[in-house]
Amino acid sequence: MVDVFTSRREQLFERLPNDIETVILQPSKPFTYFTGVSQSPLEKHGSERVLLAILEQSENVTFVLSEVEVDRIRSEFGGDSELHTYDQTDADNLLDPVQDIVAGLLEDRDQTGKIGMDYRYTRLLDAAALGDAYDWNDTVNLQPVFADLRTNKDDAEIEALKRSGEIVDECLSETLTALEPGMTEREIESELKARLIKSDAEMWGVTLVTSGERTASIMANTSSRSIRDGDVVLVDTGAVYNGYYTDVTRMAAVGDPGEQIREMYEVVHEASARALETVEPGVECREVDLAARNVIEDAGYEFDDRVGHGIGLDGHEPPYIGPTNPQPLKPGLAFTIEPGIYIEGVGGVRIEDNVVVTEDGFIELTNMSRDLIVV
C-alpha cells in the first residue's frame, strides 16, 4: 500500500512538465507535506545548516544533511531514502561540502532538465547549494503547483483542522469572558497562550490582541495598553494540531462599547453570514468576498482587505479569497472568512471563521458564537 507522502509525490510529478526531472525542497511546509519530516525548532527560526530533500520520479527520496540530522530524518521519514551527509564541525565552511554533494548527485543522475523549487521558502543559502552545478535561471518556481495540491485536504487533514478549531474555540472563549478593566493587551495574550499550552495543541498560531481605537489597525502587534471601561478587545489567534493551523478572530466589549461600534459589529456579523451562505463547490473565491463586501459597502462602510485566505500547514496559504480571484471552491479546500470594518480614531470590528468545503456545501471548523461578548 502506498503511503500518503509517496502518493503526494506521485501526484506532484503527474502534474509537472516533462522537462522538470528533479524537485529540491528545504525545511518548509512543502518539505513536510511531501516527506512527512517536520521542521525542527531551529529550522523554523533559520538554521545555519542546509538540509535538502531531492525528489525524483521514483519513490526514493535523497536527503543532503548534516551528520547530526541523520537520526531524526531516519525516524520521521518512513520510505526508502538515500542519505548524503556532511560534517558540520567546520562552522565557517558549511556550504562547500553541500555544493560538492549536490554537484555529484546531479552528475550521477545525468541531470539535464530543469529543477523545481518553491521560491516562497527557498533561502539564498539553499539556492547557493546548487553552486556551479546548475544555472539558477533553469530553476522553476513550483509554488503554484504545491499550493494547488495542498488545497485538496484529505480526511486526516480535515480531522486535524477540526480538532485545532475545537481547541481554539475553548481557549479563546475562556480568555474573552475573563476580561477585566486594567488588564493589558499583553496580559490577555499571555493568558490565552497559557491556555493553549495546557491544551493538546502543539503550539499557538499568530496571536494579536488590540483594544480600543487600536482595533482599527488590521495587523497591529499586541501592546502594553491597558483595557478601559467601554473598550472593545479584538483577539486574532489560532491553534496548531498535528501541524495544521486554525486562524480565528473574536471580540469582546468591556462595558458598553457605544452605538457606533455596535452598529459596525452588526454589519460585520451580517457580512459574515452572507459570505458563509455562498460557500459550496464551484463558487468562485471572489463571489465569497463580494457577498461580504457588498453588505459592508451597502451599509456605507469601506472594506480594505480581502475576506479570507487558505489554511492548512500554514496559517496563511493559497487560495486568497479576494474580490478578483476567479478560482472555484472545491471539496477539501479549507479557508477563513473574516470580514471587517476599520475606522481610524474609532476602532475596528472583525469576525473570523474557518470552513472546509464539502461535496454538497461546507462544514465549520470553528463554532464559537459570533455574537459580541460583553463582560
Side-chain angles (χ1 to χ4, degrees):
M1 177 174 158
V2 175
D3 69 77
V4 63
F5 302 107
T6 301
S7 176
R8 288 172 180 173
R9 294 193 296 272
E10 289 176 349
Q11 292 177 58
L12 170 62
F13 278 98
E14 287 173 1
R15 296 191 182 204
L16 296 183
N18 292 333
D19 62 342
I20 300 179
E21 301 174 350
T22 302
V23 174
I24 298 180
L25 304 174
Q26 59 292 315
S28 59
K29 300 307 168 63
F31 187 99
T32 299
Y33 184 79
F34 290 111
T35 69
V37 176
S38 63
Q39 288 178 273
S40 71
L42 182 59
E43 288 163 351
K44 291 177 181 178
H45 295 281
S47 174
E48 76 278 12
R49 296 190 290 264
V50 174
L51 169 60
L52 302 176
I54 301 176
L55 315 184
E56 299 172 291
Q57 288 277 5
S58 68
E59 293 185 8
N60 187 64
V61 175
T62 300
F63 291 95
V64 179
L65 68 167
S66 163
E67 292 172 350
V68 301
E69 296 275 18
V70 169
D71 289 345
R72 182 172 75 90
I73 299 301
R74 282 180 173 161
S75 172
E76 295 191 20
F77 183 73
D80 294 328
S81 63
E82 292 180 24
L83 304 184
H84 295 263
T85 64
Y86 60 91
D87 181 358
Q88 69 158 30
T89 55
D90 185 358
D92 294 327
N93 187 30
L94 292 179
L95 195 55
D96 285 354
V98 176
Q99 290 176 336
D100 291 342
I101 292 171
V102 172
L105 289 171
L106 296 179
E107 183 177 355
D108 290 345
R109 286 160 168 75
D110 191 25
Q111 170 73 38
T112 58
K114 295 181 181 294
I115 291 178
M117 304 181 83
D118 188 329
Y119 289 4
R120 175 176 177 178
Y121 296 101
T122 301
R123 303 177 297 173
L124 292 176
L125 180 65
D126 303 315
L130 296 178
D132 296 328
Y134 215 77
D135 187 342
W136 176 252
N137 291 326
D138 285 329
T139 64
V140 178
N141 179 24
L142 296 185
Q143 195 273 332
V145 180
F146 293 170
D148 189 55
L149 285 168
R150 288 171 55 190
T151 61
N152 296 308
K153 304 293 190 296
D154 61 28
D155 290 344
E157 292 176 290
I158 293 171
E159 287 304 311
L161 286 166
K162 285 181 180 178
R163 181 58 190 139
S164 178
E166 292 169 354
I167 293 168
V168 77
D169 279 349
E170 179 178 354
C171 293
L172 183 53
S173 177
E174 291 175 356
T175 300
L176 289 176
T177 55
L179 295 182
E180 296 179 353
M183 296 179 71
T184 68
E185 293 174 2
R186 288 201 178 100
E187 287 173 337
I188 297 166
E189 179 178 340
S190 295
E191 290 192 8
L192 173 57
K193 287 180 175 178
R195 289 183 170 95
L196 288 166
I197 288 172
K198 292 176 182 177
S199 74
D200 56 350
E202 296 163 27
M203 59 181 290
W204 55 80
V206 173
T207 299
L208 307 172
V209 179
T210 56
S211 61
E213 294 181 4
R214 295 189 72 247
T215 55
S217 178
I218 296 176
M219 291 297 291
N221 289 327
T222 304
S223 78
S224 59
R225 182 185 185 277
S226 295
I227 308 305
R228 306 160 192 163
D229 186 55
D231 276 347
V232 283
V233 178
L234 183 153
V235 181
D236 187 335
T237 188
V240 184
Y241 184 80
N242 280 356
Y244 285 80
Y245 283 73
T246 43
D247 186 7
V248 183
T249 302
R250 288 293 187 271
M251 298 190 68
V254 180
D256 184 359
E259 182 177 348
Q260 185 167 9
I261 289 292
R262 286 186 178 278
E263 178 186 292
M264 291 162 59
Y265 200 92
E266 289 177 6
V267 173
V268 172
H269 195 289
E270 177 68 14
S272 174
R274 296 289 79 77
L276 283 165
E277 288 176 357
T278 67
V279 178
E280 63 180 4
V283 169
E284 295 179 355
C285 290
R286 59 188 173 190
E287 294 179 65
V288 181
D289 178 280
L290 291 170
R293 188 175 302 276
N294 289 341
V295 171
I296 293 170
E297 293 180 350
D298 287 348
Y301 296 99
E302 295 181 358
F303 181 34
D304 298 323
D305 197 6
R306 64 193 179 208
V307 85
H309 55 80
I311 54 171
L313 286 171
D314 278 306
H316 281 220
E317 61 182 49
Y320 300 105
I321 316 300
T324 62
N325 185 358
Q327 181 175 339
L329 305 182
K330 59 184 178 182
L333 170 60
F335 63 97
T336 69
I337 293 178
E338 48 183 306
I341 298 172
Y342 311 95
I343 302 177
E344 186 175 354
V346 175
V349 170
R350 179 164 70 250
I351 301 172
E352 180 177 16
D353 288 293
N354 301 173
V355 300
V356 60
V357 183
T358 62
E359 294 289 345
D360 55 2
F362 69 95
I363 57 174
E364 295 186 51
L365 301 170
T366 45
N367 290 286
M368 184 177 169
S369 172
R370 296 182 189 88
D371 292 341
L372 178 66
I373 298 170
V374 180
V375 294

